[in-house]
Amino acid sequence: MLYALGDLHLSFSNPEKSQERFGKVWKDHEWKAKKNIERLVKPEDTLVLTGDHSWGNNLDQCHKDLDFIADFPGRKILLRGNHDHFWDAGKTRKLNEWADGRLLFLQNNFYPYKDYALVGTKGFCFEGPFYVNTINGMITGYDRAAYEHSLVLIERERKRLCVSIEAARAAGFSKFIIFLHYPPTSILENDSVFTRIAEEIGAEQVIYSHSHGKERFHDSIQGSYHGVKYSLVSGDYLNFRPKKVLG
């Protein structure tokens, strides 16, 4: 089985970063996730964790968090999230060497699952600032400078996703599942460079996380869109129960 879950936000070495201040769903969430993962994921299964693994700023601060993840059953593939400051984007190969197979880090590379290639990158989407009408709650505008900067970050992530896809193609794969940390579209969009790539390569699914709280769970696509299945796997959205992606 192939499972996915995002946003563990572990803080064993940074207790001041506890997520419990964000609501009841986060109380003891790490142990809830561990229990659910151990109940569902078998040693022969694969679990993709879609970013924001640890609040640590470097590997020393992340050891306890990454060891906690490494002890989960199955093969663990980690995607880079916006809070994963321990992960230098240019040093993924060194990170994989350090992990020595206990964890697998996905960026500018791919991992096979049966006849599928698991490809991905952190991604990005514009999250504001937005200008909101205080009477009706409607968005009336947004920060143009921030939007222009977001386009630079999106292009960077597009290139990284393409590197991942081309590596898989070079190895002979033609079936893809795309993993992102950020949602594939912003609240201003119906599609994006990421949805268009998914359609162009015939990806069967796009899995993403990052969106927290009931007011954010439906910021982006869920369900079938132009022949691609989109799924949100943020930890608090799933109550920290991994989602089965493929049998």
Side-chain angles (χ1 to χ4, degrees):
M1 301 288 185
L2 174 64
Y3 294 92
L5 181 66
D7 307 291
L8 290 180
H9 285 291
L10 299 175
S11 57
F12 289 114
S13 294
N14 306 81
E16 72 280 2
K17 291 284 193 176
S18 170
Q19 296 290 111
E20 291 190 11
R21 64 189 184 279
F22 295 117
K24 290 190 294 184
V25 70
W26 291 97
K27 181 173 175 57
D28 297 326
H29 76 282
E30 56 273 90
W31 304 108
K32 190 189 306 183
K34 178 180 173 65
K35 180 180 178 180
N36 287 332
I37 290 167
E38 290 179 343
R39 187 177 74 250
L40 291 171
V41 180
K42 303 298 186 289
E44 64 272 19
D45 293 337
T46 294
L47 172 65
V48 180
L49 298 166
T50 57
D52 285 0
H53 313 291
S54 171
W55 279 112
N57 289 318
N58 52 55
L59 273 178
D60 286 341
Q61 292 182 8
C62 291
H63 266 298
K64 291 181 181 179
D65 299 336
L66 295 178
D67 284 346
F68 184 78
I69 293 171
D71 285 340
F72 294 159
R75 181 176 62 153
K76 283 77 61 177
I77 298 174
L78 279 62
L79 193 70
R80 186 166 168 257
N82 61 302
H83 290 299
D84 291 322
H85 301 304
F86 71 93
W87 186 338
D88 186 313
K91 298 181 179 179
T92 300
R93 181 176 296 180
K94 289 187 176 181
L95 203 52
N96 273 316
E97 291 172 356
W98 169 83
D100 195 27
R102 296 179 70 220
L103 301 169
L104 302 171
F105 294 89
L106 174 59
Q107 179 169 276
N108 292 339
N109 55 6
F110 79 98
Y111 292 100
Y113 175 80
K114 297 184 178 179
D115 57 344
Y116 289 86
L118 309 182
V119 298
T121 190
K122 179 174 68 175
F124 197 77
C125 66
F126 179 58
E127 297 183 293
F130 298 105
Y131 308 132
V132 179
N133 185 316
T134 57
I135 296 175
N136 58 23
M138 299 294 290
I139 294 175
T140 59
Y142 54 89
D143 187 305
R144 296 283 175 172
Y147 175 72
E148 292 297 327
H149 180 62
S150 77
L151 297 179
V152 175
L153 302 181
I154 289 167
E155 174 61 12
R156 180 192 67 189
E157 294 300 316
R158 181 197 67 80
K159 290 179 179 178
R160 288 173 174 168
L161 179 57
C162 288
V163 169
S164 181
I165 292 166
E166 289 309 312
R169 280 177 164 163
F173 286 87
S174 58
K175 297 172 68 175
F176 302 94
I177 297 176
I178 295 175
F179 293 89
L180 303 170
H181 175 67
Y182 278 90
T185 59
S186 75
I187 62 174
L188 301 178
E189 299 172 316
N190 292 319
D191 62 7
S192 73
V193 64
F194 301 111
T195 65
R196 290 190 288 274
I197 288 174
E199 292 166 27
E200 288 166 5
I201 69 170
E204 291 191 10
Q205 299 189 50
V206 174
I207 312 296
Y208 66 95
S209 53
H210 181 72
S211 298
H212 299 304
K214 291 181 180 179
E215 70 280 1
R216 298 292 307 278
F217 288 155
H218 299 284
D219 280 358
S220 192
I221 306 167
Q222 292 193 48
S224 181
Y225 180 74
H226 290 185
V228 182
K229 181 181 178 182
Y230 291 83
S231 298
L232 173 66
V233 297
S234 295
D236 53 333
Y237 178 68
L238 297 178
N239 200 19
F240 299 95
R241 184 181 188 273
K243 179 180 179 64
K244 185 168 75 171
V245 176
L246 283 175

